[in-house]
Amino acid sequence: MSPFTSFVSRKVLGAVAAFAVFAASLAGFLLAHSVAAGAAAGSGTAASQTAEVFDAALADPSSAGSGAVASADPAGRAKLRADLRAAFRLQGDARRAALAEIRAKALAGDYGPAIQRRAERRDIRHDLLFSLLPDNLQQDLQALQAAPADQRKQMRADIMTKALAGEYGPDVQQAAERLRALHHATTS
């Protein structure tokens, strides 16, 4: 492969990855909303689906399907899964606190070095992508994160309304419109 092709491939891959992570973060708002609605409706599978989503977020795409995590520290992975299952049985602020504790344990290496590396990479990606968002969207997302559980649903709706109205800029507006179209396509 020529140096030019390699450079272009990395740039394209980087752009696709950045868009995918940004879209996933916006989709997280809808996912959190749908999981909360499913849990309120008594869905027993919502917690397991959300646990899989969180587990996938920690996963390293380069080792997907290779069994690298399972072979590296099966006890740490089992402990992480058990902690996630317990956290997703909780509701509201208790769930958020449990997930924050799990994240802190992952970053501290309590689940093993492989999961620690993945948690660190996830934080780096999150910080990088968050820094690319418009300042007013960053402030609204930080306020959403700090809000009590009973206020988050309305705040998510307000953020989506602002995004659709273009208050965060045309790029965010376009992503929000795509997300809304995707949401309508999956719920229709």
Side-chain angles (χ1 to χ4, degrees), residues 72-73 76 106 108-121:
D73 189 5
D110 292 357
Y111 299 115
I115 292 174
Q116 180 181 16
R117 282 189 306 274
R118 290 180 179 169
E120 288 169 351
R121 280 193 301 267

Side-chain angles (χ1 to χ4, degrees), residues 110-130:
D110 292 357
Y111 299 115
I115 292 174
Q116 180 181 16
R117 282 189 306 274
R118 290 180 179 169
E120 288 169 351
R121 280 193 301 267
R122 182 194 168 279
D123 271 3
I124 291 168
R125 285 190 301 260
H126 176 269
D127 291 346
L128 173 66
L129 291 171
F130 191 77

Side-chain angles (χ1 to χ4, degrees):
M1 184 181 316
S2 75
F4 177 74
T5 306
S6 177
F7 173 77
V8 170
S9 296
R10 283 192 309 252
K11 292 298 179 184
V12 169
L13 182 60
V16 168
F19 178 76
V21 174
F22 177 72
S25 66
L26 283 177
F29 291 121
L30 290 177
L31 177 65
H33 174 62
S34 65
V35 168
S43 170
T45 61
S48 64
Q49 291 171 346
T50 308
E52 291 171 9
V53 170
F54 187 82
D55 200 22
L58 287 176
D60 180 9
S62 66
S63 68
S66 68
V69 173
S71 64
D73 189 5
R77 186 170 174 89
K79 176 69 174 139
L80 173 63
R81 287 180 185 262
D83 287 352
L84 286 170
R85 276 192 220 85
F88 285 113
R89 284 188 214 112
L90 303 173
Q91 296 294 319
D93 289 330
R95 178 185 285 186
R96 183 200 286 175
L99 290 173
E101 182 179 337
I102 290 169
R103 182 173 166 261
K105 284 181 176 181
L107 289 169
D110 292 357
Y111 299 115
I115 292 174
Q116 180 181 16
R117 282 189 306 274
R118 290 180 179 169
E120 288 169 351
R121 280 193 301 267
R122 182 194 168 279
D123 271 3
I124 291 168
R125 285 190 301 260
H126 176 269
D127 291 346
L128 173 66
L129 291 171
F130 191 77
S131 71
L132 298 175
L133 297 175
D135 292 339
N136 54 349
L137 178 55
Q138 287 182 24
Q139 292 167 356
D140 287 350
L141 291 174
Q142 288 170 337
L144 174 66
Q145 185 178 15
D150 61 339
Q151 296 175 7
R152 284 190 222 126
K153 181 177 179 179
Q154 181 60 46
M155 291 179 78
R156 280 191 302 270
D158 293 344
I159 289 171
M160 188 58 128
T161 301
K162 286 180 177 181
L164 289 168
E167 292 185 31
Y168 300 125
D171 293 335
V172 175
Q173 181 180 17
Q174 187 178 32
E177 288 168 353
R178 288 181 183 164
L179 187 60
R180 180 178 60 179
L182 177 67
H183 178 68
H184 286 292
T186 60
T187 59
S188 312

